[in-house]
Amino acid sequence: MSEVLRAEQLCRYYSVPQGFTKPKAVVRALNGVSFNLQAGQTLAIVGESGCGKSTLARALTLIETPSAGELWIDGKPIDFTHKPSAELRRTIQIVFQNPYGSLNPRQTIQQMLDEPLLLNTTMSKSERRQAVATMLERVGLRPEYAERYPHMFSGGQRQRIAIARALMLKPQIVVLDEPVSALDLSVRAQILNLLTELQQELGLAYVFISHDLSVVERIADQVLVMYFGRVVEYAPKTTIFARPQHPYTQALFSATPQARVGEKRERIHLQGEPPSPLKPPSGCAFNPRCRFTQTICKDELPELRNLEGSQVACHLAPIG
Amino acid sequence: MSTPLEQSHWHITWNYFKTSRGGMIGLAFLVILLLAVIFADFIAPFDPALQNRQALLLPPAWTEAGHLPYLLGTDAVGRDILSRLIYGARYSIFIGCVVVSLSVIIGTLLGVIAGYYQGWVDTVIMRIMDIILAFPSLLLALGMVAVLGPSLINAMYAIALTMLPHFVRLTRANVMGEKNRDYVIASRVAGAGNLRLMFKTILPNCMAPLIVQATLSFSNAILDAAALGFLGMGAQPPTPEWGAMLAEAREFITRAWWVVTFPGLAILLTVLSINLVGDALRDALDPRMRRS
């Protein structure tokens, strides 16, 4: 297996004006995230709203330039100061969360799927038309749909179109930014099946961003749990689902509804709100809400360390 | 949606437009006006500049003193008012089209650039527009025409300039709203450059309010041109422009009501029907206004 994506200490900061007289504040939306992804594998990024999942997606696809850190795509280091090349675009693509906002209402499906080919390849018009028809069939839509507008499709069909568009350039990596959270349950399963089929067929690597652990359990190979712009736990799926090490991961997992009868589990209720990005807590960002907080948690930032096959950023792990 | 799937945007818009009675009446009037403009040479009973010394200030044909073929009477130098109105419609429509196209094209261009790039480009463009907006529009137009010299063409440039800020502001606001939508980002990830994003991806999605604004500006352009003509700064005699006709006729207002009434009525009806069409169009293009 070859490594197609590698991030080292990836950061993205925003400066926020605080008013006329005060200096600008810096929000660290993404604060030193590292991981790597093998061809054909799925990395799930998990965390609650505002933890930096979508910022990570936008940084990986270079929609927003990372503020610091390094990124290797397909073994090549990325120079953030340059505009992404056509070659890079062919390697990494993105599918957005909301299929109602990600399709241009004034373009037909043909025009929409044609655009990446038109801009990045030298294919003739009839070749492109053929490629669009083939891709529509591959994602489970009729080729005749090419002349229709997005408003004529349902949410699930729209998401199929969005997936088709991401695959037009035959990328190796697809970043899926909560691709099924806007869909209802039955459609969700169909889209997940489609994604799994496409992954096997085309050898795609997925960065799958989600807050839905049942979806993650189904599709992921590796799981990366984020809190407040940092990685708190990074482990293979089976390991993390069998034994979550970080107190935050434990709380997150205990919040998933269980369908199995008879299995009893302790429900961990998190106290309070996620910290304000303008006033980050000292030490471990999770300490104001953690059940186990001790003095060291307030003083020192925990580094990721190896523990029973996982990487955990907690002073106290194993715990709980 | 219960409508057939293959319907285009414009087809749906037309279906909604049809439900507005005011819009349809306005549209009918405009179609008649347009036909009159195109076939003016065949419809008009007289040459608009032809003077008849035997029929000075002749009242309309249905009054006791009036007679055919001077259906709407004649003016102070014996020109047929109906013919002058028909030919005058040509000028009005021409003025409306030129002024609106000029300000829509330039205004949209500036608005898209300001909204897309923001930063200092935006600041420069918008402050210039604020300066234009700071003057009362007619005063600014009057000043420009006074500098450039009174003629219909200069009046049209001046009016186009005064309308520019509305289009720039409208486009800018819409572009700023659209530019961070996911479909624009998706297009950028697909490799679209700035020009393509601005004009091919974003602009078509900002067109609905622009079309409505353009329609409503059309009537304003006619009105402003008439006002300039009335002040002697627009169309020059013997051009049968409606505003200029009003101005020439104002000394007879107590003696010959028809000389002022008909050009005034022509302006009123045209502006009214364009506004009705504009309103109906706004409702038809705005999904929130649509009745299901």
Side-chain angles (χ1 to χ4, degrees), chain B residues 84-130:
Chain B
R84 285 179 69 75
L85 284 181
I86 293 174
Y87 278 94
R90 261 190 192 175
Y91 286 94
S92 294
I93 300 230
F94 174 68
I95 290 165
C97 289
V98 172
V99 168
V100 169
S101 331
L102 264 179
S103 40
V104 166
I105 293 170
I106 300 173
T108 309
L109 200 69
L110 289 174
V112 169
I113 291 171
Y116 186 82
Y117 286 108
Q118 308 205 310
W120 67 268
V121 185
D122 181 38
T123 311
V124 170
I125 292 176
M126 292 323 287
R127 290 304 82 76
I128 294 172
M129 291 306 131
D130 286 348

Side-chain angles (χ1 to χ4, degrees), chain B residues 199-220:
Chain B
F199 295 105
K200 223 158 165 168
T201 312
I202 300 178
L203 190 57
N205 285 293
C206 304
M207 285 314 281
L210 278 176
I211 291 168
V212 175
Q213 178 68 26
T215 325
L216 298 177
S217 298
F218 200 94
S219 61
N220 272 336

Side-chain angles (χ1 to χ4, degrees), chain A residues 227-243:
Chain A
Y227 187 76
F228 206 62
R230 290 181 187 278
V231 180
V232 295
E233 188 159 356
Y234 178 30
K237 176 184 73 181
T238 42
T239 317
I240 200 166
F241 272 85
R243 178 155 166 68

Side-chain angles (χ1 to χ4, degrees), chain A residues 89 101 104 106 115 120 152, chain B residues 5 183 187 189-190 196 205:
Chain A
R89 262 187 241 109
N104 188 341
R106 301 272 163 175
E115 196 172 40
N120 296 292
M152 300 165 178
Chain B
L5 283 175
Y183 71 87
S187 212
V189 175
R196 190 182 171 88
N205 285 293

